[in-house]
């Protein structure tokens, strides 16, 4: 496995970053706006109806856990005509990797990897109980999703099965500019197989940058930048720390450096 591939675990491509600054963000309404309309929580920056976040399911992800499936929920962007909406004209959120061709898989044994672009939520569905629940209560910007691989994987010729999900997301307007985007702090979460148990792996004042896999110890190293000046954003001049998480039983990350 190359160092370049490892560095890509948490980092989208350059072309994605260019589009991201313009397109991939969520606008946070002011308290006055929310009070005026009780149904108004968030609005996506762009050509959207005021006070609405239009979303659309795009795919059912087959996990290695037979009864558990994940539904990807993307931003739905509508083209706006000069005098109102054309309801037949939809532009869907874009993915960094296509499901059939160039989506990267198995950087870490037992885990498939999906990069998000305009990916606002993941819904968990249990086929036995026939219940559906979103992992996040409000729309977030999901940058990477790790989930149990559908095809049996192995590590040093021993079968390996994961029973959890890991997500890196922008889930709060940490820098208070009314937008949730890549200028906010990037959080990292663990969810159990049912999607009900949620653990934040990194400290709240850190922002995930990239990761690296250690196959000998089955450990993920997470490089995270500290928001040292507490302004809600992580800048290149601020300290870069390294944390590690055991992929056998992921829990709150321990600081290595």
């Amino acid at each position: 496995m190359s160092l370049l591939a490892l560095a890509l675990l948490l980092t989208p491509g350059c072309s994605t970053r260019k589009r991201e600054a313009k397109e991939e963000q969520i606008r946070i309404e002011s308290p006055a706006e929310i009070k005026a309309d009780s149904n108004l929580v968030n609005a996506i920056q762009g050509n959207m109806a005021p006070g609405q976040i239009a979303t659309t399911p795009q795919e059912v992800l087959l996990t290695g856990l037979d009864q558990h499936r994940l539904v990807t929920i993307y931003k739905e962007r509508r083209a706006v005509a000069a005098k109102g909406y054309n309801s037949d004209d939809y532009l869907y959120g874009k993915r960094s990797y296509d499901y059939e061709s160039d989506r990267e898989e198995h950087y870490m044994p037992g885990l498939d990897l999906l990069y998000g672009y305009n990916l606002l939520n993941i819904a968990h569905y249990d086929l036995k109980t026939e219940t559906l629940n979103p992992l996040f209560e409000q729309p977030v910007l999901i940058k990477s999703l790790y989930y149990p691989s559908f095809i049996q994987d192995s590590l040093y010729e021993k079968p390996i099965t994961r029973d959890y999900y890991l997500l890196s997301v922008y889930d709060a307007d940490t820098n208070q500019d009314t937008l949730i985007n890549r200028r906010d702090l990037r959080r990292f979460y663990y969810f159990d197989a049912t999607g009900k148990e949620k653990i934040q792996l990194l400290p709240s004042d850190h922002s995930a940058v990239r990761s690296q896999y250690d196959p000998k110890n089955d450990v993920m190293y997470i490089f995270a930048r500290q928001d040292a000046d507490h302004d809600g954003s992580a800048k290149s001049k601020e300290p870069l720390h390294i944390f590690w998480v055991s992929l056998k039983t992921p829990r709150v990350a321990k600081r290595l450096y």
Side-chain angles (χ1 to χ4, degrees), residues 30-170:
S30 69
E33 290 173 303
I34 295 175
K35 185 176 180 180
D37 183 352
S38 61
N39 295 320
L40 182 59
V41 179
N42 293 315
I44 293 178
Q45 187 85 9
N47 299 326
M48 304 301 300
Q52 294 180 348
I53 298 181
T55 61
T56 182
Q58 190 161 328
E59 181 182 358
V60 176
L61 298 177
L62 307 182
T63 77
L65 308 174
D66 292 347
Q67 75 184 69
H68 302 289
R69 296 295 180 254
L70 301 176
V71 180
T72 57
I73 302 173
Y74 284 84
K75 177 173 69 174
E76 182 182 86
R77 301 186 65 235
R78 299 182 182 184
V80 181
K83 295 182 180 181
Y85 297 103
N86 179 351
S87 60
D88 296 324
D89 192 1
Y90 289 91
L91 295 175
Y92 295 103
K94 298 179 180 179
R95 300 175 57 165
S96 296
Y97 290 86
D98 179 72
Y99 182 81
E100 296 296 336
S101 58
D102 59 353
R103 185 184 62 177
E104 299 290 348
E105 294 183 315
H106 306 278
Y107 278 126
M108 296 180 292
L111 291 172
D112 276 342
L113 169 60
L114 172 68
Y115 288 114
Y117 187 76
N118 288 331
L119 179 57
L120 302 188
N121 214 332
I122 298 292
H124 174 275
Y125 188 77
D126 190 314
L127 288 165
K128 288 187 177 180
T129 62
E130 300 183 9
T131 55
L132 179 76
N133 67 283
L135 297 187
F136 297 93
E137 294 181 2
Q138 301 293 342
V140 300
L141 291 179
I142 298 172
K143 299 311 299 176
S144 54
L145 162 67
Y146 303 86
Y147 60 98
S149 58
F150 180 69
I151 298 174
Q152 178 65 61
D153 209 345
S154 62
L155 179 60
Y156 293 110
E157 300 183 354
K158 294 182 179 180
I160 188 167
T161 301
R162 313 294 189 183
D163 61 354
Y164 55 81
Y165 321 106
L166 301 175
L167 294 92
S168 73
V169 306
Y170 301 98

